[in-house]
Amino acid sequence: VPLAILAATYALFHGGYPILIATVTLYLAAWHRARQNLGIARFYQARAGGPASAWHVRLFCAAVYLPMTAGVAFFASTSPPHEGEEYIGLSLGPPVLWLLGALAAASLAAYLAYTVRCRESVHPGERWLVVANALAA
């Protein structure tokens, strides 16, 4: 897989598509960050005996992914070139960005309300990572 990624990057760069490389790097970096936070929080979740319920799993994933999605959408819709590199941004209008932000905030609030109610079965490290991920997004 790493050789395939290297070969694809080389082909895109020498084929005249450096903007595509910058775009893929930008979006995959954000996705990777969310996956890392999700994995570390799942480590703490396992230490507490696993997810408390199916709702815990759903709320947990939403509270990790929705803030990251809203943050990336806002950045890609409003920011100039990233670190001097042009990229293919999004052209989402303010109503869509506000909706994504509201969904992210609602998912975090629902997750926190659930984990406070089920305090004994949720590791504090899991909760902390989810909040830190949302604030960083």
Side-chain angles (χ1 to χ4, degrees):
V1 173
L3 287 175
I5 293 170
L6 183 62
T9 303
Y10 182 80
L12 287 171
F13 184 75
H14 289 292
Y17 299 101
I19 192 168
L20 192 55
I21 295 169
T23 301
V24 169
T25 301
L26 177 79
Y27 292 117
L28 285 180
W31 179 81
H32 179 67
R33 184 172 158 261
R35 289 295 298 179
Q36 282 181 320
N37 289 336
L38 183 84
I40 296 168
R42 279 193 175 147
F43 170 81
Y44 287 116
Q45 199 175 72
R47 296 293 174 254
S53 69
W55 274 107
H56 183 197
V57 173
R58 289 182 193 103
L59 292 170
F60 172 68
C61 289
V64 170
Y65 284 119
L66 283 174
M68 189 59 64
T69 301
V72 170
F74 179 78
F75 176 83
S77 295
T78 61
S79 294
H82 179 66
E83 295 179 0
E85 294 285 332
E86 292 287 331
Y87 66 93
I88 300 169
L90 302 174
S91 56
L92 302 175
V96 174
L97 296 175
W98 276 102
L99 176 64
L100 287 172
L103 287 172
S107 71
L108 183 63
Y111 169 80
L112 290 174
Y114 179 84
T115 59
V116 166
R117 195 184 72 178
C118 300
R119 184 177 320 228
E120 299 81 31
S121 59
V122 177
H123 194 285
E126 173 194 332
R127 189 179 306 115
W128 184 88
L129 274 161
V130 171
V131 171
N133 178 68
L135 291 174

